[in-house]
Amino acid sequence: MTQAFQKVAAIRGMNDVLPGVGARWEQFEEIVREWLHAYGYRNLRTPVLEHTRLFARGIGEVTDIVEKEMYTFTDALNGESLTMRPEMTAGIVRASIEHNLLYDRPQRVYSLGPVFRHERPQRGRYRQFHQIDVEALGFAGPDVDAELIIMLARLWKRLGLTDVRLELNSLGQAEERAAHRAALIEHLEKHRDVLDEDGQRRMYSNPLRVLDTKNPAMQAMADSAPKLFDFLGAESRAHFDGVCALLDDAGISYRLNPRLVRGLDYYNLTVFEWVTDRLGSQGTVCGGGRYDGLIELLGGKPAPAVGFAIGMERLLDLWDQTAPAATVPECEIYVVHQGDAAQRLAARVGETLRDAGLSVIVHAGSASFKSQFKRADASGARVAVILGADEVAAQAASIKYLRADGAQGDAQQQVPLAELAQVLKSKG
Ligand code: ATP
Ligand code: MG
């Protein structure tokens, strides 16, 4: 006798997307792809697993992600340390170096898919979640920074979102950050008594990140800290002003947030986040910025780059609040049948209708017309095609419009099989 199997549940923080909601995801992804193509972005897909070193180097050893959020394990076959990607930029940059993507021109690429972080699950924070990741590789100017932001504003508009606002900052260049860093460490040393454990540990390794704290006891210290923005030189200022001018032209408002540093080590110049108050405490739907040093840091020929990542679950949550989802029908046409000959005909009719571009479910198995019609209703189809002995004999199909707003009301009509696809396509 086999032993009773203990049911398996999904891993905490990793969600199933059930069919009704899955249809919503598909609608969303369709809008997103159309939007990306409108700006010439092309799809690039990288593996979900990468060597751990890639992220340690590419994201930075002293970051939340690398310090405590990665799913890392040893490959039992060869002892290599592997990591489930916690973000997509590092993998995309690796791929662009490995395949020499930038050898003759810059590249606009995007990737859509799951990423993994070991965080405490709550609304808007999961252990497997999805990102829309967009990267403009090989572009130096403020024009592309602005274009990315303008592009995001277009997506919000397309989705009907109005409550998302833009926060902007500049992290300058390495030398400017070094000068600021010295001043900042001095400030942190002066306020050592209010620093929490993370703060104490990072005050020398990643002092900027200490300011990015959510600890209320450290807010006053963080507010009074020297601001990186005040350390920017003329060129960095000019880049920032360039971005702002283009945003002004596009009618996009923003708030300069000198505390915005983003969690990753590699950013320089422009950084930005789009935030909303409608998602509780996980209100950032998109974060991005320029990372001119990363390609070289990962072993490539030096090239500038800028990009962003959208958290899809958070954006979908927001979209659902703004434009509540209508149920998506399973199909347009549901074929019901009675008798062996009609069932065989139904299979053929289904294929013919699909040839014509219709979405069709042929009732599987046999059942009373009544229960088949119930299924037809539940499917959300707008028309039922009915095949019985009479229809087989007449080489015709009866059609019934299922929706109250259907072209023919409740009436049933017979249509010769040869004309069926055309009739179904032209009406309702
Ligand atoms: P947060 O400050 O909320 O932790 P982050 O700075 O770690 O965000 P990024 O690395 O910039 O996030 O990732 C880009 C986007 O991915 C975020 O703006 C957010 O919308 C989404 N995101 C990040 N972490 C999660 C998560 N654990 N679950 C769901 N979405 C997430
Ligand atoms: Mg985070």
Side-chain angles (χ1 to χ4, degrees), residues 65 117 119 124-126 129 131 214 262 282 284-287 309-311 314:
I65 294 181
R117 294 186 193 176
E119 300 194 77
R125 198 173 286 291
Y126 311 103
F129 63 100
Q131 286 188 340
K214 285 172 182 126
R262 310 265 311 126
Q282 317 315 324
T284 307
V285 291
C286 173
I310 297 174
R314 291 185 195 176

Side-chain angles (χ1 to χ4, degrees), residues 18 55 83 91 93 104 129 150 174 207 224-225 228 242 248 262 328 331 346:
L18 301 178
F55 301 118
T83 294
V93 167
D104 65 345
F129 63 100
I150 292 167
S224 63
L228 174 50
D248 291 341
R262 310 265 311 126
V328 180
C331 60

Side-chain angles (χ1 to χ4, degrees), residues 320-376:
D320 279 340
Q321 288 182 40
T322 316
T327 333
V328 180
E330 291 163 25
C331 60
E332 302 172 84
I333 313 291
Y334 197 100
V335 183
V336 304
H337 47 80
Q338 199 79 133
D340 289 347
Q343 186 167 16
R344 289 180 62 182
L345 180 60
R348 292 210 312 276
V349 166
E351 285 305 305
T352 310
L353 298 182
R354 292 178 192 117
D355 284 344
L358 292 159
S359 145
V360 185
I361 290 179
V362 175
H363 187 84
S366 44
S368 68
F369 265 136
K370 189 170 166 222
S371 68
Q372 292 191 47
F373 268 111
K374 253 198 192 149
R375 289 282 188 88

